[in-house]
């Protein structure tokens, strides 16, 4: 990653990256090493929050309750 930061042109196009890293990813998956897998985040990655599962569930419950209340009070 440090080399890529120094020279962005060192990044291979996706099909080549995928083919060259397949053995590493396969071995990582078998070993349960998620930190070595390609875990795609997509364009919404900046919306991610560092939180516990309990905090996430509490926030989802709160947001769902608020949405239900808004819907029931609008009609």
């Amino acid at each position: 990653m440090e080399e890529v930061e120094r020279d962005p042109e060192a990044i291979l196009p996706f099909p080549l990256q995928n083919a060259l890293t397949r053995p590493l990813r396969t071995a990582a998956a078998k070993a349960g090493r998620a930190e070595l897998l390609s875990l795609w985040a997509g364009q919404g990655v900046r919306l991610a929050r560092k939180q516990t599962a309990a905090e996430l569930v509490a926030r989802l419950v709160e947001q769902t309750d608020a949405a239900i209340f808004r819907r029931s009070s609008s009609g």
Side-chain angles (χ1 to χ4, degrees):
M1 291 308 299
E2 290 171 1
E3 186 173 329
V4 169
E5 288 175 359
R6 285 191 297 271
D7 182 10
E9 292 186 19
I11 300 172
L12 293 172
F14 171 75
L16 294 175
Q17 287 180 19
N18 192 50
L20 290 172
T21 60
R22 182 172 289 117
L24 172 67
R25 290 181 287 111
T26 301
K30 287 180 182 175
R33 300 283 308 271
E35 74 274 16
L36 299 175
L37 297 174
S38 301
L39 302 173
W40 303 101
Q43 64 187 22
V45 70
R46 293 182 181 175
L47 299 173
R49 300 174 184 169
K50 185 175 182 176
Q51 59 190 1
T52 65
E55 292 167 333
L56 171 62
V57 170
R59 186 168 53 85
L60 291 173
V61 168
E62 183 180 308
Q63 291 174 349
T64 301
D65 286 346
I68 291 169
F69 176 78
R70 281 191 309 272
R71 184 175 170 107
S72 65
S73 64
S74 69

